[in-house]
Amino acid sequence: MGKDTFRGGIHPYEGKKLTEDKEAIPFIPKGDLVFPMSQHIGAPAKPVVAPGDHVLMGQTIAEAGGFVSSPIACSVSGYVKEIKPVLTVSGSMVNAIIIENDGLYEAVEGLGEDRDPSALSRQEIRDIIRDAGIVGMGGAGFPTFIKLSPKNDAAIDTIIVNGSECEPYLTSDYRVMLQEGERLVGGLKIILSLFDNARGVIAIEDNKPKAIEHMKKLVSGEDRISVKKVRTKYPEGAERQLISVVTGRKINSSMLPADAGCIVDNVDTVVAVYMAVAKRTPLMRRVVTVSGDAIADPRNFIVKTGTNYNELIEAAGGFTSTPVKMISGGTMMGLSLFDTNIPVTKTSSALLAFKEDPMEKVPTQPCIRCGRCVSACPQHLVPQMLMDAAERFDNDAFIAVSGMECVECGCCAYVCPSGRPLTQAIKETRRSILDDRKKKAAAAAAAGK
Amino acid sequence: MKELVNVSASPHDRSGKTTKSIMRDVVIALLPASAFGVFQFGFKALLVLVTSVVSAVVAEFLWNHFMKKPKLPYECSAVVTGLLLGLNFPVSIPLWIPVVGSAFAIIVVKQMYGGLGRNFMNPALGARCFLVICFAGRMTDFAVEKGNVFVNGFAGVDGLSRATPLGIIKDLPVTEAVGSSVSLSDMFFGFTGGVIGETSAIAILIGGIYLVVRKVISLRIPLAYLISCGAFMMIFSGRGFDCEYLAAQLIGGGLMLGAWFMATDYVTSPITPWGQIIYGILLGVLTGLIRICSSGAEGVSFTIIFCNLLVPLIEKMTMPKAFGLEKKPKKKKEA
């Protein structure tokens, strides 16, 4: 060990003071709940209910639509109003089940009852995690049971719980560690029970001393679990960077964390594992930070999935003035919104609203080759050359300068004094290259048959 | 929600640093050297500096106007070019030469190759070399009139009309040279002959340190340049480890100004970290070579513009390996 950070990265304005001491409180939704079928990476889930059906809290209302997919559980009881496409965070319309909340919170049988994880076989635990609809809640939404089913269990030697929360303004993981630390440790123990050779590491940035102290206290009796303090820097919590900080091993875009003997899970995800396995509760809630200078009373909520963002804004005191920019997620990698009439999904970590948009202040000027993007890039790329290739639509040159290794963290665009949209241009080119590859693969497959 | 909100791809925050604030930092960093030049050489020096800055700015404005360039916020880079060029004139220069030089720097070296960020050669040095070739005598005429504060400065030292210290020590053992007219401390503080901005090593160093502290430049290029130049002189000058000679070489002539302000020009130096070190070493070796072997005593300007031309090659050779790809070469798996 010894290392506490990686080369590159930036120190954006943190903004965590707004909400870090605000206890996450449960939020009771009033309106309809909306469950988009794509809340994860992979195939959309398939509805297993029809309009008019009565559903219970904790009931599976959509099943996995493929291997890489995830079922969806209903977070309230009520009636299925309709199934229709709705607007989601990404700006696209996604098929969704709309539930009319009857306010009774009738639960399915056995919901919330204790279960002894040690009485379960490994396969049973993995099946429970799959059926509970657990996906990576840090933002990517990769189905957790796939992560926990590597080719070779014995090769996994480190389970990293990502509590670094390096995105500005977000304090939801921090609140989870403080308020539900016991469940976090319980979830990590369940995951460790799947891998004989693994140790558990809870990685926390050093700007959260309270969480570090609290977690250290909780794991003091555990010989397989430790807490690692990592340096506060963005993107400390990026999967590849965190693995290298904790284990010293490096992976690239063609490798999985399991290739480095690691599994990385977000704090809230590990708590969800505990709830599913030990408390018979599928994933139907998450902690959401509502913050930003345009929010009257920034705070954290424990939210039922499917809750409308507008209700959360209202509960946080509404807007102090008309926001100029609204973001779902953090300021570095979050998605900007044009409408807040969208539902909370498994991956919604925050809703931010700002009076000002720093992006419109700096006009795009010519690159002066200052090299700030090179020093900031945590992937050790030369973003200036990537953007050069992107602007020429030269995909081959883009690949030649390792463009596909980019993790789209946004550091280059953040530091650019000429206001150049580096990350944005690079992202676009990466998408087009990935699309081309998909098309080529499909064409090759068709020709092969 | 009826009002329109901004929608854009992430990231949604910026560091706040702008091209303009960087250029402003460079101008601030050049102020000690400029101020010392004026203190030493008098109002005429100020006149030379102002003339070059104003003509650079005017040249850029005229080019943008007549070429119908889109209006972008003014980023002060022409001020930096003009000031750097101005610092490279001897005080005796007729004022029309800075005008020609600035216009050449901005229009020929910078704008004709695509403007800010696209020029392959440092504009100020390109223009300086052009002027040295065209007006060799006037560019190296370090004579100053005596008894006139307007041209003689406030420093009140003799010896300004002599050749530059490097010219003196080129042929003499340094102890004799020191004995005759220049001392190391004079060179360090700047009470010697030379162009307006190069005489005071300490003033340039203060500016250089300011740039490093403000994170405008990294130490890679200046240190690699100075250390390699010193090492090269030590090995090949035939004087061995002669501290005074080495110190005189390092703080004399245009080396300090070149290493801290010219070689570190963003546009014309490598963007890759290892490239910057190699570039610095190359500069040091070539400067040493020219100083030892050529007939003149100076080599910084030509060295830097020559190395400017090598930058694309250096960058190609020093592309950093991406995170996780350090050990094995990238395998192409595309179908």
Side-chain angles (χ1 to χ4, degrees), chain B residues 183-198:
Chain B
S183 75
L184 272 181
S185 73
D186 276 352
M187 285 177 75
F188 187 66
F189 290 106
F191 301 111
T192 59
V195 299
I196 296 170
E198 74 177 10

Side-chain angles (χ1 to χ4, degrees), chain B residues 207-257:
Chain B
I209 290 166
Y210 174 79
L211 288 184
V212 172
V213 170
R214 297 279 294 165
K215 294 191 175 158
V216 172
I217 61 171
S218 82
L219 282 170
R220 284 188 283 262
I221 293 175
L223 281 192
Y225 190 175
L226 294 172
I227 292 171
S228 65
C229 187
F232 186 88
M233 299 294 277
M234 197 163 83
I235 298 166
F236 295 104
S237 65
R239 305 197 196 208
F241 190 71
D242 178 345
C243 275
E244 286 191 5
Y245 174 73
L246 283 180
Q249 282 292 352
L250 289 181
I251 60 177
L255 185 54
M256 276 291 165
L257 194 62

Side-chain angles (χ1 to χ4, degrees), chain B residues 153-167:
Chain B
F154 312 97
V157 277
D158 288 332
L160 292 182
S161 58
R162 292 168 204 274
T164 58
L166 281 189

Side-chain angles (χ1 to χ4, degrees), chain A residues 301-418:
Chain A
F301 293 109
I302 301 172
V303 184
K304 291 179 178 297
T305 52
T307 304
N308 194 297
Y309 271 166
N310 281 332
E311 290 190 39
L312 294 181
I313 295 170
E314 206 178 300
F319 296 124
T320 50
S321 63
T322 314
V324 169
K325 192 152 209 181
M326 298 183 297
I327 303 164
S328 174
T331 48
M332 291 306 296
M333 285 188 83
L335 297 160
S336 65
L337 306 173
F338 57 86
D339 192 351
T340 46
N341 184 21
I342 49 176
V344 171
T345 65
K346 296 171 184 175
T347 55
S348 320
S349 49
L351 173 61
L352 309 177
F354 297 101
K355 288 179 195 164
E356 284 182 348
D357 182 8
M359 303 313 281
E360 54 178 10
K361 280 192 188 159
V362 186
T364 304
Q365 284 172 287
C367 171
I368 53 167
R369 295 168 40 88
C370 65
R372 281 178 176 71
C373 53
V374 183
S375 342
C377 183
Q379 286 292 111
H380 309 165
L381 304 172
V382 184
Q384 183 258 342
M385 292 186 190
L386 296 181
M387 182 160 181
D388 218 32
E391 284 191 325
R392 285 183 278 120
F393 300 102
D394 188 344
N395 288 0
D396 292 334
F398 184 84
I399 292 168
V401 285
S402 304
M404 300 314 280
E405 295 298 317
C406 171
V407 293
E408 303 177 4
C409 63
C411 291
C412 47
Y414 174 84
V415 295
C416 183
S418 295

Side-chain angles (χ1 to χ4, degrees), chain A residues 365-366 368 417-419, chain B residues 17-24 75 116:
Chain A
Q365 284 172 287
I368 53 167
S418 295
Chain B
K17 208 155 211 160
T18 60
T19 308
K20 194 174 179 175
S21 72
I22 292 170
M23 296 297 170
R24 198 170 49 214
E75 83 296 280
L116 182 65

